[in-house]
């Protein structure tokens, strides 16, 4: 359906978008769309990496009663250099006892 659009129809759609959102908001919208795409891409890579690590056979250990502990928490950043939206992954949640 999209491949059947004529050039005049495409220009008309662009004009309607400009009228609805305005020329000042379109760059901000494009920036946020690009940022969202980068976040989605990095999250997908992290999920694939985690799946590949989980699928790999674990080496045998002498003491299976103590699970390995990570000393540093891994963070996922939304964009390179953007520390405001980074978050910890696999946080230990506090347990409450009654």
């Amino acid at each position: 359906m999209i491949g059947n659009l004529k050039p005049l129809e495409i220009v008309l759609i662009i004009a309607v978008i400009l009228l609805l959102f305005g020329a000042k908001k379109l760059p901000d919208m494009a920036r946020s769309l690009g940022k969202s795409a980068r976040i989605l891409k990095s999250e997908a890579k992290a999920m694939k990496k985690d799946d590949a690590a989980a699928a790999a056979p674990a080496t045998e250990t002498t003491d299976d009663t103590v699970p390995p502990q990570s000393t540093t928490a891994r963070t996922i950043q939304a964009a390179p250099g953007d520390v405001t939206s980074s978050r910890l992954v696999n946080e230990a949640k506090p347990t409450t006892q009654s």
Side-chain angles (χ1 to χ4, degrees):
M1 180 176 160
I2 293 176
N4 296 335
L5 291 178
K6 297 175 186 166
L8 183 61
E9 293 170 343
I10 293 173
V11 170
L12 184 64
I13 290 171
I14 291 172
V16 168
I17 290 173
L18 277 172
L19 287 174
L20 285 176
F21 296 109
K24 290 185 178 181
K25 289 205 175 200
L26 285 178
D28 293 334
M29 290 172 56
R31 237 179 262 117
S32 65
L33 183 65
K35 194 174 192 178
S36 299
R38 281 192 301 271
I39 291 171
L40 181 65
K41 186 177 179 182
S42 68
E43 290 287 338
K45 274 186 182 180
M47 287 176 64
K48 285 181 184 178
K49 187 177 178 182
D50 289 344
D51 288 344
T59 59
E60 289 189 31
T61 59
T62 55
D63 189 9
D64 289 336
T65 59
V66 179
Q69 295 289 329
S70 175
T71 58
T72 59
R74 190 183 75 179
T75 60
I76 296 176
Q77 291 183 347
D82 183 19
V83 295
T84 58
S85 60
S86 60
R87 61 181 173 84
L88 291 175
V89 179
N90 296 333
E91 283 187 32
K93 296 181 182 178
T95 58
T96 57
Q97 294 179 353
S98 300

